Structures are given as structure tokens and as C-alpha cells.
Amino acid sequence: MKKDIVIAGAGPAGLMAALKLAERGITPTVIEMKNNMDKLNRACSMQFIIDDEYEADALKIEGQKLVFTKCGLEVPYTGKLVPLYNKYYHSPKDHIIRFTRNDGKDPFSYKFDKQFLLKSLFDACAAKGVEFMMGTLALGGKDKGNGVELTLRQKGKKFTLACDKLIIAEGVNASVCGKFGLNKQRMGQAGDKVLDLGMAYSMKYLMEGITGVENNSWNLYYGNAYHSQTACIIGPSLEGDGIFEVTITGSPGLMPKKIFEEFTTASPMAKHFKNAKLIKKNGCGLKPFMAMKEPCRGNVMAIGDCAAMVEVETQGGLLCGYRAATAVAEELEGKPGFAAYTKWWQDSFEFNSDDYMEVSKGYALAFVYTDDELDYLFSLCEGHNLHGTYSQYLTPKLIWDCIRLSSEKIKKDRPEIYAKMQKMGQI
């Protein structure tokens, strides 16, 4: 039996696409490798970003719903919300760059319960008659021009499933995207091979008893003194004041477990973990790529994290699913829905802009600058309250804009830092 629409993946993007298609009278089939939606075991990002124009929209939390003010999407949500009022960047000697709104009175982001949101979307889809094939893995497939044939595995058995259109919403590792040739466009500068960003591993440790950390704040620790080439992060949990999430990201050569051990016992933060206790931990492995410029090809479209540079955040996934449903419905009517989606995708996400690599350079702090140099640069921003934002694209721009206010001072006092900034295109 041939299906109209198959959606590979039951994350925010896939579930929203399924729900909105069902509301249009189109019943999709969702394949998901998990057996059920009762638990979210892996580490993942769980922040709502409330910046105006973030991902070309603006998310507002109004009562018990999420409202995207530009496109009109409304999503019921009655789960937990924890506001974040301050974001702090810490140097090795704890010079601090502060990001805040209204001097810490207004939140710039909310931590939310992603499992609750996903289960709510799943239940809403089921109520609309969406068909789910749980415990099913997509192994590959082929776009045959007049439709798509998928190769699936469920309970150890392989079988095929045909459909008119396929929406891939599998998440950041993008393996199904690769089977359909969509990753070939993710070229490096030489244009001769797919450019991925290597394997990354992330662990989240839920802990109580950490001292020296402000509740409802997001803290990022930069420098070799913290034993990591990326930021070690301490932020709020959903469990109440005094219980924090410690997020550590590593690589095959420097795994999160080792970074965590040294961060908590042999870094400037060690004294704050002296009486801390681990409640639980979880993790994930990622193989991020550069972004797809063309997420639609033939009868197949890739949406959400699997088409992104690393991720689109949950709200980006919801927007992708919402737009994808419209695109597929229009395609079934003979209209250019995929072309409209592609234009929206290219215009809405900052990793598709021409300067996205310059933004990524803005995070190359521990790779480029010594701990002493980081202390100096961060000290130049002390006393300046930068705009409160969670955005990983806006944040480095704000930091370097602030540092550049002291360009002449840096050139005079620390010419070696000034030379590095010139080399990195930061001045």
C-alpha cells in the first residue's frame, strides 16, 4: 500500500509537520526508531529563545501556549518553565562578561520540559489519526521520480514502504539524508568532499550542592584552565533552585567524562564542587554537518536539525515542521511548495548567511587565545551589560563589538593579542 506522506522522525519538526498535515486532512505516517515517547533519555537543548527576529520570527509565551507572532503558529504548552535572567561568560581568573535584559529583571530565555512538549505533540497527532510506526528504523531508500521507496527495519525484519513524498526529520546525524544524496551539497571550500564537523559528544550532569552559581543564570567557562576546548556550561534545571545542569562537550580525543572530572576537581571551579552530588547524567553523540542550502530534492525534503549547521533549536524545529506541512500540501496540489520552503529556510536561519563562518570564528576563544589573553579580553567587557540573548549567533557578535571598543588600548598594551585579532578577522 502506498502512503501519501511519510515522515522519518518524531522530534519537534516531524511531529509538528504530522500534526499540521493531519489538520489539513492529509494523514501522514510517522516512522520513529524509539519504541515509545514516554522518556527522553539523551542530552539535548531545552531552551526557548525569545529574541525578536530569531529565526525570522518571535516567540512569545502567552498563558499556556507558545505563540510565534510572525507566522501565527500557536502551540499548547502546560509544562514547566524556568526563566533565565543573566548569562555570564567566565574567563580563567573569572573576569565576567554579562548578558542581561533590564539589569536582570526580564528573562532572555526559558528552560522547558522537552519530553512534555514532545509527548503533547505526539498525543495531539494520535488524536488526529496520524499513523505511527514505532520501533522502526529507516535504512535507506530511493526517489523513483513518481514517488519514494523506503527500506525499513522493524523487530529485526526488513521491508519496503512506498509514499508520494518523504519528509526527513531525523535529527542532527543526518544518516537518512545521506542515503538520499542530500548531504552531497555540504561541501568544503575545495568543493571536493562533504564537509562534516567531526564527532562531538555531549554529557549533561544533574547536580545539587554546587556553590558560587546564581539561580536562573547561564554560565559558560572558557579557557584551558577549565580543561576543555569548548565552554563548560552550568545552567538551571527543571528541578528547582540549587539543582543545576552541568553540560560538557568533548570529542573522540577528549571525551566529556575526562573534562568533567578535571573541571570539577582541578579547575578554578573545583572549590564550588567540593560538596556537590551527582543526581543523574545522560549524553548523546553528534555528527554535525554544515547547513544544506537546498533541503528539498525531487520528492524528498529534509527539515530541522538534519538540514542545519548543528541545530535549529526546538522552536526552529516547530517552525520547520509547520512550514514543511504547507510545502508538502502545496506540492500535492501541483504547486511549488518545496521552492517556497527552500526560500524561507535560506532567509530565516543565520547559518545560511554569507558570514556564518565569521560567527563560528567568534567562538574560537580557547583555540586561539591563551588563558592570560582571555582574562585580558574579558576584563575589557566588565562593566558593560551586553544585550541578554541565548542566540549562539548573536552572542559572539556582541562580545567582539564590545572588545573592539578598546581596539586602540589593545593595540598599545597587548600588540600580540591585536595581531591575533587581525589574523582572525575580528578587527
Side-chain angles (χ1 to χ4, degrees):
M1 179 180 177
K2 189 175 186 181
K3 306 289 186 180
D4 291 331
I5 309 296
V6 169
I7 300 172
L15 289 174
M16 181 55 69
L19 180 60
K20 291 303 173 183
L21 282 167
E23 289 176 355
R24 288 172 172 265
I26 303 169
T27 304
T29 298
V30 179
I31 58 175
E32 168 57 41
M33 64 180 180
K34 291 170 59 177
N35 289 318
N36 58 64
M37 300 294 290
D38 294 338
K39 286 186 178 181
L40 185 62
N41 293 319
R42 67 179 182 85
C44 59
S45 180
M46 295 191 291
Q47 282 78 32
F48 288 136
I49 301 167
I50 55 175
D51 295 3
D52 289 340
E53 296 300 325
Y54 183 72
E55 295 173 343
D57 216 305
L59 174 62
K60 305 296 181 185
I61 298 173
E62 298 181 359
Q64 296 184 331
K65 61 184 177 181
L66 313 174
V67 178
F68 293 87
T69 61
K70 298 295 178 66
C71 70
L73 172 63
E74 295 186 359
V75 184
Y77 177 75
T78 58
K80 292 181 180 179
L81 288 170
V82 177
L84 282 80
Y85 294 104
N86 289 297
K87 179 168 73 173
Y88 300 110
Y89 271 43
H90 301 256
S91 76
K93 291 185 177 178
D94 213 27
H95 293 285
I96 295 174
I97 304 175
R98 183 192 187 197
F99 300 79
T100 189
R101 294 187 183 184
N102 193 19
D103 199 25
K105 297 180 179 66
D106 297 332
F108 65 87
S109 179
Y110 287 89
K111 188 172 185 63
F112 72 99
D113 188 338
K114 189 171 183 178
Q115 169 59 31
F116 184 93
L117 176 65
L118 291 175
K119 186 62 166 61
S120 298
L121 288 171
F122 178 86
D123 290 344
C125 286
K128 290 287 185 181
V130 173
E131 178 186 10
F132 285 93
M133 297 176 63
M134 305 301 290
T136 304
L137 182 65
L139 302 175
K142 185 177 181 180
D143 188 342
K144 294 190 169 184
N146 62 344
V148 178
E149 185 176 86
L150 277 166
T151 302
L152 308 175
R153 183 171 64 208
Q154 185 182 62
K155 295 180 179 180
K157 295 182 179 180
K158 286 186 181 181
F159 61 99
T160 60
L161 181 68
C163 61
D164 291 321
K165 304 290 180 185
L166 171 65
I167 299 175
I168 305 175
E170 61 180 323
V172 68
N173 290 323
S175 59
V176 179
C177 290
K179 300 294 185 182
F180 282 90
L182 288 168
N183 289 339
K184 291 180 179 179
Q185 62 187 285
R186 298 168 133 164
M187 297 296 181
Q189 291 183 355
D192 57 354
K193 63 179 181 179
V194 174
L195 180 61
D196 68 58
L197 304 179
M199 283 299 298
Y201 299 95
S202 182
M203 290 291 299
K204 284 186 181 290
Y205 301 85
L206 186 67
M207 305 188 74
E208 61 180 343
I210 302 173
T211 62
V213 179
E214 176 185 300
N215 288 314
N216 300 90
S217 69
W218 192 252
N219 299 268
L220 297 92
Y221 300 85
Y222 279 95
N224 292 320
Y226 299 112
H227 304 282
S228 178
Q229 293 180 324
T230 59
C232 297
I233 302 172
I234 302 177
S237 73
L238 295 172
E239 307 305 320
D241 289 351
I243 301 179
F244 297 96
E245 282 186 355
V246 180
T247 303
I248 305 292
T249 300
S251 64
L254 185 59
M255 294 296 284
K257 180 180 178 181
K258 180 174 179 57
I259 298 171
F260 174 76
E261 290 172 352
E262 295 184 336
F263 178 63
T264 57
T265 63
S267 83
M269 281 298 292
K271 60 185 178 182
H272 297 295
F273 284 88
K274 188 175 181 181
N275 298 310
K277 295 180 180 179
L278 177 65
I279 299 173
K280 68 177 182 179
K281 61 184 178 180
N282 58 17
C284 66
L286 309 174
K287 188 178 181 182
F289 293 88
M290 306 306 286
M292 292 182 192
K293 292 289 188 180
E294 301 287 339
C296 305
R297 177 179 297 175
N299 294 301
V300 181
M301 70 186 306
I303 68 172
D305 289 349
C306 67
M309 179 180 175
V310 184
E311 62 183 347
V312 296
E313 302 288 349
T314 294
Q315 67 206 69
L318 296 174
L319 288 169
C320 286
Y322 174 73
R323 300 279 184 172
T326 299
V328 167
E330 290 178 348
E331 286 285 327
L332 293 177
E333 294 171 357
K335 299 175 183 177
F338 283 178
Y341 179 90
T342 297
K343 185 179 188 310
W344 169 80
W345 168 260
Q346 292 173 349
D347 292 344
S348 299
F349 292 90
E350 291 182 274
F351 47 67
N352 288 321
S353 67
D354 292 336
D355 68 345
Y356 71 98
M357 286 304 294
E358 297 305 313
V359 173
S360 67
K361 287 180 183 178
Y363 278 105
L365 295 171
F367 290 98
V368 176
Y369 298 97
T370 67
D371 284 8
D372 174 68
E373 291 168 343
L374 287 175
D375 284 324
Y376 177 79
L377 291 171
F378 279 40
S379 73
L380 298 175
C381 296
E382 288 184 311
H384 297 267
N385 284 337
L386 306 190
H387 174 65
T389 179
Y390 181 84
S391 170
Q392 59 187 318
Y393 295 97
L394 181 57
T395 294
K397 293 178 181 179
L398 293 172
I399 291 175
W400 287 107
D401 284 348
C402 186
I403 290 172
R404 280 190 286 266
L405 294 174
S406 301
S407 294
E408 292 303 314
K409 177 178 174 59
I410 300 169
K411 186 176 183 180
K412 178 182 177 182
D413 295 346
R414 301 295 298 267
E416 77 284 4
I417 297 179
Y418 189 87
K420 284 186 179 181
M421 291 170 63
Q422 284 185 311
K423 185 177 181 180
M424 291 296 293
Q426 292 160 341
I427 202 166

